[in-house]
Amino acid sequence: MAKDTATISANWRAFVANGVVILASFQYGVDFGLIGGLQAMVGFLQVFGFRAPKTPSGWNLTTERQQLISSLMTLGAFIASGSAGFLAIKLGRKQCLWLGCILCFISNIIMMTVDTIGPLYAGRFINGLANGCFMTFSQLYIQESSPAKYRGLFLTAFSFGTSFGTLIGTIVDWATAKKHGKAAYLIPLGIIYVVPVIMSVALFFIPESPRWLLLQGRREEGVKSLARLRPDGWDVEDEAAVIVAAIEREKELSSGVGIRDVFANPIDRRRTIIAVCGVTSQAATGSMFIIAYKAYFFTMAKVTDPFGMSCVLSTIGLLALITNSLIVVKYGRRRVCLMSGMITCGVLMLIIAVTYDKHPNEKSTGRVLVALSSLYMFSYNGMVAPYAWLVGGEIPSQRLRSYTFGLAAAVGFFMAWLTQFTAPYFINPASLNWGPRYGYIWFPSAILTAVWVFWFLPEVKGRRLEEVDEMFEAKLPARKFRKYVCVGPLGHIDEKAAVISTEEEVRARENEKATVVMVESVK
């Protein structure tokens, strides 16, 4: 009886390899959870903030410092992601993840040893470079090494890693927030070392991305990598041949491989725009407002135990991802989930803003805000975050994947940075003091993005990356992708060979006829 190669147990090696890489998203989540909480810690504010008797904690940060502490990390991630295509010319996915680990060590040493704001800014920026490497190259590895059936599941696990990391970071902050002095924030910062150490060692035991190796012309190494990632008995030579054929077909259509080429022809331009808009859809929900400033946001909204409520919010987001992991393989349609998530998040942002606007200083309002924010996080983590990253990685062409996905991630980080940088102006009591009224801005943003998803986002659930290439080359409208029947790159080669063969037969017959005519004329 033939062994079923589609089961999880048969693909255990791919699960292990991608599990190691998913640690990168956990690290990114830990950083987000920790830093968001630090800004509400008295121990941290005593070093980097100022006394503010009118605030609930008695301390506060200037708007400028609040902006830069949060947003410099995102700015560093933007630069690292934007450089992905250039780094990928010489460095593989694993090497770029190692680079992220090294940068993480350097940034954390700086942040733990300084008590002035300038070096702290530098540490946050370098930490952003590390997180940019983690988030970009880990997802490239997942997209390029996972079987088509489990690609959605792995990307959901990636988002789970981010949310679980955020929860752990938030819990650590909650446990240390009441400590006196620097220990309150140095203990959380010390946690940041753990994942890069584990990942640095584990990366030695998994193969490099097979598609990256084949793109570099290293076929033998690419086949070996596939053999380490696929079930026993899998025809890795055939899969490698399909990947190489798809790469060669792309080169026939456009041979350039550079940042300019992502916009050079209509097909690549369309794929780039979809990838960028897909990843950026996360920012369109206003998620960074809730994720990055939840402890501060709850504190200023006079919610009882803001750190505890932040933990509740992170746990709700985690449950959403667990729920999504149970359905993504069978039911995880990108268009439906993203559109539904955008509309739900937008409506919840509007309700949050209206609720606080009508009853700003009541205790019951705080409880309502926690409930609405929990629903928001469930909707965002269940229907927006995993599918946004999934779209950004599935859509780019193979030869330009590093450039296109790097650009998409960079624009996504830029929009997140813009949200983080401008949010303090709206929510800080020393500025506009909108607080939760900030949600008014994100309702129309989310609804407009849902409209874009309906008209322009193609459905590629369960498709191999080479099939995605074929459908874009066929210039299908977005709503026809789902039911299109692919022939594959080797099928195109067979068609081309058949055409050539037919042309040769025609020429041979014409030559035969010419010969007969010449013979008859001689007679």
Side-chain angles (χ1 to χ4, degrees):
M1 184 176 174
K3 185 179 179 181
D4 187 357
T5 58
T7 62
I8 291 176
S9 58
N11 287 276
W12 69 270
R13 288 192 291 261
F15 274 78
V16 170
N18 283 282
V20 170
V21 172
I22 286 168
L23 287 173
S25 70
F26 178 79
Q27 174 64 21
Y28 177 74
V30 167
D31 182 86
F32 243 115
L34 292 174
I35 299 302
L38 294 190
Q39 297 180 53
M41 282 184 183
V42 173
F44 181 82
L45 296 174
Q46 286 173 340
V47 179
F48 299 104
F50 64 92
R51 281 193 176 277
K54 293 183 179 180
T55 62
S57 66
W59 293 84
N60 200 2
L61 275 174
T62 64
T63 301
E64 178 188 73
R65 290 190 176 188
Q66 193 176 34
Q67 287 173 320
L68 292 172
I69 289 171
S70 291
S71 63
L72 277 172
M73 188 281 285
T74 311
L75 184 62
F78 164 76
I79 292 172
S81 297
S83 305
F86 303 101
L87 289 172
I89 295 172
K90 295 294 182 183
L91 301 178
R93 311 314 189 202
K94 287 172 55 179
Q95 291 169 309
C96 289
L97 289 172
W98 270 315
L99 176 62
C101 292
I102 293 169
L103 290 170
C104 191
F105 294 141
I106 294 171
S107 68
N108 216 39
I109 290 170
I110 293 172
M111 289 190 290
M112 292 186 72
T113 55
V114 302
D115 54 12
T116 55
I117 198 67
L120 183 69
Y121 290 157
R124 290 299 293 153
F125 178 74
I126 296 170
N127 184 253
L129 295 175
N131 279 321
C133 289
F134 286 146
M135 292 297 283
T136 304
F137 291 101
S138 58
Q139 290 186 83
L140 284 171
Y141 185 95
I142 292 169
Q143 296 283 359
E144 294 172 351
S145 65
S146 56
K149 179 179 179 179
Y150 295 112
R151 192 168 61 239
L153 180 60
F154 288 147
L155 264 295
T156 297
F158 181 89
S159 294
F160 177 89
T162 302
S163 291
F164 187 55
T166 302
L167 174 62
I168 296 299
T170 305
I171 291 173
V172 172
D173 280 351
W174 173 74
T176 65
K178 295 181 181 178
K179 287 185 175 291
H180 297 290
K182 292 183 177 180
Y185 70 91
L186 287 179
I187 293 172
L189 287 177
I191 301 296
I192 292 178
Y193 287 114
V194 176
V195 173
V197 169
I198 295 172
M199 201 161 82
S200 296
V201 175
L203 283 171
F204 282 104
F205 300 97
I206 65 172
E208 181 55 85
S209 160
R211 281 184 169 84
W212 182 82
L213 290 168
L214 292 169
L215 185 62
Q216 303 300 311
R218 295 156 63 176
R219 184 185 176 94
E220 185 177 345
E221 294 174 68
V223 171
K224 288 181 180 178
S225 177
L226 278 172
R228 291 180 62 186
L229 290 165
R230 296 295 181 258
D232 294 331
W234 186 267
D235 192 345
V236 292
E237 287 287 352
D238 179 67
E239 184 174 357
V242 170
I243 295 171
V244 171
I247 293 170
E248 294 302 320
R249 182 167 172 77
E250 281 186 37
K251 289 179 179 178
E252 286 179 11
L253 297 172
S254 181
S255 59
V257 181
I259 190 62
R260 292 182 180 179
D261 295 291
V262 299
F263 297 107
N265 65 63
I267 295 174
D268 288 325
R269 185 161 55 246
R270 181 189 180 194
R271 299 178 79 162
T272 299
I273 292 171
I274 292 172
V276 169
C277 291
V279 173
T280 310
S281 65
Q282 297 174 96
T285 63
S287 58
M288 287 300 107
F289 163 50
I290 299 291
I291 295 170
Y293 293 107
K294 57 182 178 291
Y296 183 86
F297 159 69
F298 285 148
T299 299
M300 294 305 167
K302 298 183 180 179
V303 172
T304 305
D305 192 6
F307 281 99
M309 290 303 101
S310 296
C311 292
V312 170
L313 211 62
S314 297
T315 304
I316 294 293
L318 206 60
L319 291 174
L321 285 162
I322 293 172
T323 303
N324 186 61
S325 70
L326 300 175
I327 65 172
V328 64
V329 172
K330 191 171 183 179
Y331 303 108
R333 288 173 56 188
R334 285 53 166 159
R335 284 167 54 84
V336 174
C337 291
L338 261 180
M339 196 160 36
S340 303
M342 298 303 299
I343 293 171
T344 306
C345 288
V347 170
L348 286 170
M349 275 291 195
L350 179 62
I351 297 173
I352 287 171
V354 171
T355 302
Y356 186 81
D357 200 15
K358 298 298 181 182
H359 309 282
N361 295 310
E362 298 178 13
K363 282 189 175 181
S364 59
T365 300
R367 290 193 290 270
V368 172
L369 290 179
V370 171
L372 290 170
S373 299
S374 297
L375 287 173
Y376 175 92
M377 284 305 298
F378 191 89
S379 302
Y380 174 77
N381 274 15
M383 294 184 284
V384 177
Y387 295 100
W389 284 116
L390 191 55
V391 167
E394 287 178 325
I395 297 300
S397 66
Q398 183 57 47
R399 81 180 202 288
L400 295 172
R401 190 173 306 281
S402 297
Y403 288 97
T404 305
F405 183 73
L407 177 63
V411 174
F413 279 124
F414 174 77
M415 296 306 294
W417 168 82
L418 190 63
T419 303
Q420 290 175 295
F421 189 79
T422 56
Y425 281 121
F426 292 93
I427 67 175
N428 197 309
S431 296
L432 293 177
N433 195 25
W434 279 22
R437 296 184 191 92
Y438 192 38
Y440 281 128
I441 290 176
W442 299 111
F443 169 68
S445 170
I447 297 303
L448 287 173
T449 306
V451 172
W452 173 85
V453 170
F454 178 78
W455 287 108
F456 298 106
L457 182 66
E459 181 59 68
V460 295
K461 175 187 176 295
R463 299 283 193 172
R464 290 192 303 180
L465 298 180
E466 291 69 36
E467 290 180 299
V468 177
D469 290 341
E470 181 182 334
M471 290 189 288
F472 272 104
E473 289 167 15
K475 299 181 180 179
L476 300 175
R479 283 175 289 175
K480 290 189 177 180
F481 270 62
R482 186 169 166 239
K483 296 182 179 180
Y484 184 77
V485 178
C486 294
V487 298
L490 292 178
H492 284 293
I493 291 174
D494 290 341
E495 288 176 8
K496 187 175 179 180
V499 170
I500 293 171
S501 176
T502 302
E503 289 176 351
E504 289 177 348
E505 287 177 10
V506 169
R507 289 196 200 98
R509 287 175 185 173
E510 288 177 350
N511 289 336
E512 286 177 8
K513 288 179 181 178
T515 303
V516 170
V517 170
M518 288 178 65
V519 170
E520 289 178 352
S521 63
V522 169
K523 289 180 179 179

